[in-house]
Amino acid sequence: MASSRVILVATTNPGKVRELRALLGDTVQWQSLADFPGVTEVEEDGATFAENARKKALGYAQATGLWTLADDSGLVVDALGGAPGVNSARFAGARAQGEDRKTVDRRNMEKLLGLLEGVPREKRTARFVCYLCLASPEEVLLETQGTVEGLIAEEPAGTGGFGYDPVFLVPQLGRTVAQLGEEEKNAISHRGNAMRRLKPLLAELLSALSNKGADRRY
Ligand code: IMP
């Protein structure tokens, strides 16, 4: 039975909300920022993924009064000292007005491949990282993280996914993430792994609250 608890997902991306529903189910009612068009955007200016996820979760929870789940994710490349990291979305410069996401993704991948030119395969190790944070307006309630390990390919391959997926090779599958189906990607992805860790913790939290009855803080 669906609970009456509403959780805001701090994204306007319908794909992320769909992914969450598929992984976490209907134990709560999910809303997204698309349902709150008047809310001011929380800036992602933290130095770490964890900081950004916390800042977004607390910021939107305070703005709406709802429990809020926020994520921050990106690509960490060992040969580049962890770059692009928290700058993954704007690695090759901020998105220009009117510029579509695919063009930004292409610019980012070109910059990445340029920086790694001549770097041998064994030194092209990288991981996608995702931090998730659930917060009430008062405090952080839950945090999880997930990663997926891989190698940066010599050139892009595949048309699925988004961001750096065409250049992120999953060695045990012999394919880039952009060559995987949506379900295959969710099964191994950093975001999928972080959500699978969140699921039992959220169930525990909701059950503790329902056993306690109405909790004044929430
Ligand atoms: P955000 O967490 O949505 O802000 O993601 C930041 C950036 O990290 C994105 O714009 C992408 O460039 C990159 N990124 C995050 N997750 C993925 C993924 O699953 N595949 C490819 N790139 C990703």
Side-chain angles (χ1 to χ4, degrees), residues 44-125:
E44 293 183 36
D45 55 2
T48 62
F49 296 117
E51 218 179 291
N52 279 333
R54 269 178 221 140
K55 188 176 179 213
K56 280 195 280 183
L58 283 166
Y60 288 116
Q62 282 155 12
T64 60
L66 292 173
W67 279 17
T68 301
L69 181 64
D71 78 324
D72 195 40
S73 57
L75 178 69
V76 170
V77 178
D78 294 320
L80 301 179
V86 289
N87 293 316
S88 292
R90 49 186 181 270
F91 190 41
R95 184 172 163 198
Q97 215 178 6
E99 191 179 22
D100 69 19
R101 279 177 204 278
K102 290 241 171 263
T103 311
V104 179
D105 290 346
R106 209 174 308 123
R107 285 199 286 115
N108 283 335
M109 284 189 287
E110 271 168 20
K111 175 167 178 182
L112 178 66
L113 293 182
L115 289 171
L116 290 178
E117 216 174 290
V119 175
R121 183 183 162 97
E122 67 275 12
K123 293 206 171 122
R124 300 175 77 95
T125 50

Side-chain angles (χ1 to χ4, degrees), residues 32-54:
S32 83
L33 286 176
D35 301 310
F36 296 88
V39 166
T40 311
E41 196 178 330
V42 175
E43 223 186 309
E44 293 183 36
D45 55 2
T48 62
F49 296 117
E51 218 179 291
N52 279 333
R54 269 178 221 140

Side-chain angles (χ1 to χ4, degrees), residues 2-7 27-30 67 202 206 209 215 218:
S3 112
S4 57
R5 166 77 54 197
V6 175
I7 297 184
T27 46
V28 299
Q29 293 176 39
W30 300 105
W67 279 17
L202 180 60
L206 291 172
L209 278 182
D215 184 313
Y218 308 123

Side-chain angles (χ1 to χ4, degrees), residues 16 44 56 71-75 88-89 105 108 128 162-165 177 185 189-191:
K16 276 194 190 173
E44 293 183 36
K56 280 195 280 183
D71 78 324
D72 195 40
S73 57
L75 178 69
S88 292
D105 290 346
N108 283 335
F128 279 127
F162 70 100
Y164 297 89
D165 282 346
V177 177
K185 178 178 173 181
S189 81
H190 49 314
R191 207 168 298 106

